[in-house]
Amino acid sequence: MYEKSIEALKRYSVLLGIFISVSLLFIATRVYPGGSLFDKNSVGFDWSKNFISNLFAPKAINGADNPAQIWADGGMIFLSVSFALFFIKFSKKIPVRSAANVVQYLGAGGMLFTFLIVTPLHDSMVTLASTLFLLSLFYITVFILKSRLHLFKFLCITCLLIFYYTLYLYGSGSYAYLPIMQKVTFGSTIILILGLEYFTQKEDFEHIKPTQSKK
């Protein structure tokens, strides 16, 4: 019985971690006092105006103490650990060792920088974490495209495009739609990660062999 519980925990660790993360972040949005980039005197968390990063500061934008911080920080811890576990576990499905190492070490390692987004190093950590995440996801997408997982081909490409577009808005300072796109990116990434974790198998990629260089 104990061994079965441990196996179930290992199998559903990514799902459980993401569920806890989303729950904590949702609580954070409910207790956020108010204020946004667009209206410093607004009340509460506006999903179309506030950024998730607003939850991480000790003070809300309206100047009030921010009780959301502890909940949001906890949510990011669970999210980072869950994504790191995903990259480690998915790397074991990839038959090409060099690519598996990229997914495992850069993907999982990049989650440290994802958590550091909650610190004053936010801007630089967003750039670094996004780069490592996208590189790892790109490697995964290459193997998905070589598989027969047609739905995941669409999901991977769509998720990458959404992520790139959101980063473009962020980098160009186009903030009007950025709060909304941030949540769309967050949601699409979680859906893709859970899909890849629980609806793909090592056997889906066994036919893919390392490219042999010609002598």
Side-chain angles (χ1 to χ4, degrees):
M1 183 70 178
Y2 177 76
E3 291 181 354
K4 288 184 178 179
S5 298
I6 294 298
E7 286 301 316
L9 181 60
K10 289 181 179 179
R11 174 171 175 76
Y12 295 107
S13 57
V14 175
L15 176 62
L16 179 61
I18 290 177
F19 175 78
I20 294 174
S21 170
V22 172
S23 298
L24 291 175
L25 288 170
F26 180 74
I27 292 173
T29 65
R30 301 296 295 174
V31 300
Y32 179 74
S36 71
L37 178 66
F38 307 95
D39 182 2
K40 293 183 178 181
N41 298 314
S42 63
V43 178
F45 187 88
D46 187 329
W47 289 82
S48 65
K49 301 296 182 183
N50 282 102
F51 298 101
I52 294 175
S53 59
N54 296 153
L55 303 171
F56 304 136
K59 292 282 188 179
I61 294 179
N62 66 4
D65 290 335
N66 183 18
Q69 183 183 24
I70 189 171
W71 298 100
D73 287 354
M76 287 304 295
I77 290 174
F78 277 97
L79 185 72
S80 300
V81 171
S82 301
F83 277 24
L85 286 174
F86 161 75
F87 283 120
I88 292 171
K89 294 170 73 173
F90 194 89
S91 69
K92 298 176 181 178
K93 301 177 183 180
I94 297 177
V96 181
R97 178 45 46 192
S98 59
N101 286 338
V102 169
V103 172
Q104 179 175 352
Y105 295 113
L106 294 187
M111 291 304 103
L112 170 63
F113 303 110
T114 298
F115 171 68
L116 292 177
I117 288 174
V118 307
T119 71
L121 299 173
H122 176 269
D123 289 346
S124 57
M125 290 301 103
V126 166
T127 301
L128 188 53
S130 297
T131 299
L132 294 177
F133 180 84
L134 287 172
L135 179 60
S136 302
L137 185 56
F138 176 78
Y139 269 77
I140 290 174
T141 300
V142 169
F143 283 86
I144 291 293
L145 292 175
K146 293 180 179 180
S147 73
R148 298 179 180 85
L149 301 168
H150 302 298
L151 175 60
F152 284 107
K153 294 178 184 181
F154 171 78
L155 291 178
C156 282
I157 293 174
T158 300
C159 186
L160 283 172
L161 291 175
I162 291 173
F163 211 121
Y164 282 127
Y165 179 64
T166 302
L167 288 177
Y168 166 76
L169 293 178
Y170 177 76
S172 64
S174 303
Y175 295 139
Y177 298 104
L178 185 56
I180 296 174
M181 288 306 302
Q182 184 188 54
K183 281 80 170 183
V184 172
T185 301
F186 187 76
S188 63
T189 301
I190 286 178
I191 291 172
L192 179 62
I193 293 298
L194 290 176
L196 291 172
E197 171 67 14
Y198 295 105
F199 297 98
T200 65
Q201 306 294 329
K202 186 176 183 179
E203 291 74 19
D204 294 322
F205 310 100
E206 285 183 340
H207 64 284
I208 304 173
K209 304 298 180 183
T211 302
Q212 300 292 331
S213 58
K214 295 182 180 179
K215 296 183 177 179

